[in-house]
């Protein structure tokens, strides 16, 4: 697919098939993240790939319990086709049962930590889409660990204390039968030319 077409095609996927992501596809998605730009070329982001469904479910539920999104209204919503936790109060897992959850750990007190994660995530989401893998960016990654079980997992994963969970990237195949989501219309007036 041509690059601009791929960018237009990628959409946040929150309804996943139970099937695990193919290992070759995962490797390519990770490689796309590793080759993303990073501030000062420091390559400080760590990608913690978890395919343990029980761990992902527990962390996703902790994250949901720690989230208080402003809920959707008839005119303001995140997605009707792929509802988020702000659209559907019945969703109890903020990771939407994705079979693969990648937590991005970044150095604390590094000015460009969030930007480094976002650059890597976009590379990975585009690579995923090109391979037929659905993805969703999840912000405020630390809230999934803000509980004794989350802290236990950080210890088990041997995450350095000077790193924090900046975000998660969910990966999985879109649920069979779902239509690929359509993007919201683009808002006018966002390009300023001088
Ligand atoms: C910084 C950032 C944080 C996000 N956090 C969440 C999140 O916590 N939960 C979620 O379901 N989607 C999250 N998203 C996905 C957005 O909701 C999604 O990108 C947006 O609705 C536009 O849809 P699209 O990606 O299909 O274009 C996040 C996206 C970004 C860029």
């Amino acid at each position: 697919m041509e690059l601009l077409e791929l960018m237009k095609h990628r959409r946040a996927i929150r309804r996943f098939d139970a099937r695990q992501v193919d290992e070759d596809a995962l490797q390519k998605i990770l490689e796309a993240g590793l080759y993303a730009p990073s501030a000062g070329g420091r390559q400080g982001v760590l990608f913690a790939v978890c395919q343990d469904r029980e761990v992902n479910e527990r962390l996703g539920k902790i994250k949901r319990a720690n989230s208080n999104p402003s809920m959707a209204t008839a005119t303001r919503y995140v997605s009707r086709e792929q509802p988020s936790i702000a659209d559907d109060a019945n969703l109890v897992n903020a990771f939407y049962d994705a079979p693969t959850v990648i937590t991005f750990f970044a150095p604390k007190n590094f000015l460009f930590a969030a930007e480094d994660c976002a650059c890597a995530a976009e590379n990975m989401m585009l690579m995923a889409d090109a391979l037929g893998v659905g993805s969703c960016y999840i912000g405020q990654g630390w809230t999934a660990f803000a509980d004794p079980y989350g802290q236990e997992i950080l210890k088990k994963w041997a995450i350095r204390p000077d790193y924090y969970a900046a975000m998660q990237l969910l990966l999985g195949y879109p649920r069979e039968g779902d239509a690929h989501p359509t993007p919201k219309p683009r808002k006018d007036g966002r390009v300023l030319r001088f």
Side-chain angles (χ1 to χ4, degrees), residues 105-118:
F105 289 96
K108 286 178 185 167
N109 303 320
F110 175 49
L111 193 57
F112 299 114
E115 288 91 331
D116 281 359
C117 289

Side-chain angles (χ1 to χ4, degrees), residues 100-192:
T100 297
V101 178
I102 306 177
T103 297
F104 291 39
F105 289 96
K108 286 178 185 167
N109 303 320
F110 175 49
L111 193 57
F112 299 114
E115 288 91 331
D116 281 359
C117 289
C119 283
E122 178 66 353
N123 265 19
M124 294 165 82
M125 292 189 289
L126 291 174
M127 188 73 246
D129 191 67
L131 296 167
V133 177
S135 67
C136 188
Y137 191 124
I138 302 290
Q140 298 189 312
W142 59 89
T143 58
F145 299 94
D147 153 290
Y149 177 77
Q151 294 299 305
E152 195 187 299
I153 292 294
L154 293 182
K155 274 205 196 101
K156 194 172 162 196
W157 291 354
I159 301 301
R160 291 167 44 167
D162 55 336
Y163 275 61
Y164 80 107
M167 59 162 288
Q168 278 89 20
L169 183 69
L170 311 182
L171 296 175
Y173 294 101
R175 202 176 289 175
E176 208 167 320
D178 278 356
H180 188 71
T182 42
K184 286 179 181 167
R186 299 296 98 177
K187 290 183 179 172
D188 287 332
R190 295 168 62 210
V191 177
L192 313 178

Side-chain angles (χ1 to χ4, degrees), residues 10-14 63 67 77-79 82-86 94 96 118 125 135-140 170 181-184 186:
R10 181 219 55 83
R11 302 268 65 83
I13 298 297
R14 302 185 185 85
K63 184 166 176 62
S67 304
Y77 54 87
V78 179
S79 172
Q82 297 280 326
S84 80
I85 57 167
Y96 309 103
M125 292 189 289
S135 67
C136 188
Y137 191 124
I138 302 290
Q140 298 189 312
L170 311 182
T182 42
K184 286 179 181 167
R186 299 296 98 177

Side-chain angles (χ1 to χ4, degrees), residues 4 17 27 30-31 81 90 92 96 98 116 137 150 155 166 177 179:
L4 183 58
D17 201 277
Q27 288 302 330
L30 289 166
E31 199 174 349
E81 296 157 290
N90 296 317
V92 294
Y96 309 103
D116 281 359
Y137 191 124
K155 274 205 196 101

